[in-house]
Amino acid sequence: MEAGAPGVVDAEAGEPAARDAESGAREARDAEAGDAEAGDADTADADPVPAAVRSRLRGTVIDLAPVFGFTLTFALTHRLAVALTLALAAGAGVFVHRVARRESVRRALGVLGFVCVQGALAARTGQATTFFLPHLLLHCAAAVAAPVLILLGWPPLGVMAGLFTGEGTAWRRCAVRRRAFARGSLVLLAGNVLMLSVQIPLYLSGQAVALGSVDVFGPLVFGLGALLGWRVHRRALGTHRCPAARPARAGTSADPSPRPMETTVTERTVR
């Protein structure tokens, strides 16, 4: 019996070491899973906005059919009535196309209604350049509103990102993200000002065909501004992460304190 005592002592002494090794391995696996989850969250935060902008750009190509049709027809015929007829027909075609594809009816009605307003203004004034006046007024309003929103802490790029990602306005709780979105919004503002610097002289000089050609590239300029603004925002953000700005995942708690069972297991491990 005495000869076997050292083996028993060695086995009992080895049990704490085995438990420590198992606990260390479990903690390493948990740490790796946490790093992978954080990486996935960061990737998800970075991807939705550029993907949504590219998707909107592809959809906007169809919405530009009335403007393109009006510009091309007026350039070939120089007859306002013919150009308006084709523009309204193209607007109706866009509406039917989106409804047939079961897309957003609100967006389809918006495009058709906007074309009707453009056509009514051009028909009332008899000037082809008036057809592009609503777009020009929208760009002017955006150029005036963007600096005000940035100063008020509501940068347009942040509002747009919140809509695309479903985050809403949670990003406003982080001062670092607000400043980063403000810098990115300056790129959007620069693109808008660039468009106005070209459109306003063309409108005042009555160059309808040139104005229509520039107007067709408006969504492209906005999309490129949004993509570049997002890159500026990400660069300004750097490695900063704001967990409070992220929505809580289903089944998880925002309270970082350990649960009773976890506390008990931790105490047993220490003992």
Side-chain angles (χ1 to χ4, degrees):
M1 295 294 296
E2 293 180 358
V8 174
V9 173
D10 292 342
E12 293 178 352
E15 290 181 359
R19 286 196 299 269
D20 292 342
E22 183 179 357
S23 177
R26 187 183 301 110
E27 291 177 358
R29 289 194 300 269
D30 293 342
E32 291 177 358
D35 293 340
E37 182 178 355
D40 294 341
D42 295 341
T43 304
D45 290 343
D47 290 340
V49 173
V53 171
R54 296 187 187 98
S55 177
R56 291 296 179 92
L57 279 177
R58 288 191 293 267
T60 305
V61 173
I62 301 176
D63 297 338
L64 290 175
V67 176
F68 182 78
F70 178 87
T71 304
L72 181 62
T73 304
F74 188 78
L76 295 176
T77 65
H78 294 283
R79 297 179 62 181
L80 181 59
V82 177
L84 288 177
T85 302
L86 186 58
L88 292 175
V94 171
F95 175 79
V96 172
H97 171 77
R98 292 201 176 280
V99 172
R101 291 173 59 89
R102 297 183 179 180
E103 298 181 6
S104 174
V105 178
R106 182 181 303 177
R107 181 176 179 180
L109 286 174
V111 173
L112 182 60
F114 198 83
V115 174
C116 291
V117 171
Q118 290 178 296
L121 289 175
R124 183 178 181 83
T125 60
Q127 300 293 328
T129 52
T130 314
F131 182 84
F132 307 102
L133 182 60
H135 280 164
L136 187 61
L137 293 178
L138 285 178
H139 290 161
C140 290
V144 173
V148 176
L149 290 175
I150 292 174
L151 292 176
L152 294 178
W154 290 89
L157 185 64
V159 177
M160 183 177 65
L163 292 175
F164 287 162
T165 61
E167 185 184 10
T169 59
W171 54 269
R172 297 193 71 249
R173 293 197 291 266
C174 179
V176 177
R177 297 186 70 192
R178 285 201 308 270
R179 289 193 295 267
F181 277 127
R183 293 183 181 180
S185 297
L186 293 177
V187 180
L188 279 176
L189 178 60
N192 210 349
V193 172
L194 177 62
M195 284 290 297
L196 286 175
S197 66
V198 178
Q199 287 178 310
I200 292 178
L202 293 176
Y203 178 81
L204 296 177
S205 60
Q207 301 183 42
V209 176
L211 182 59
S213 302
V214 174
D215 199 43
V216 168
F217 288 99
L220 179 60
V221 173
F222 178 82
L224 290 177
L227 293 176
L228 292 176
W230 182 255
R231 291 178 64 89
V232 171
H233 155 262
R234 297 296 297 177
R235 182 168 297 182
L237 199 61
T239 58
H240 175 77
R241 295 294 180 268
C242 187
R246 294 175 181 171
R249 294 180 176 229
T252 59
S253 174
D255 186 6
S257 57
R259 298 173 184 175
M261 183 63 68
E262 294 176 352
T263 304
T264 304
V265 174
T266 304
E267 291 178 354
R268 288 179 180 177
T269 303
V270 173
R271 290 175 183 175

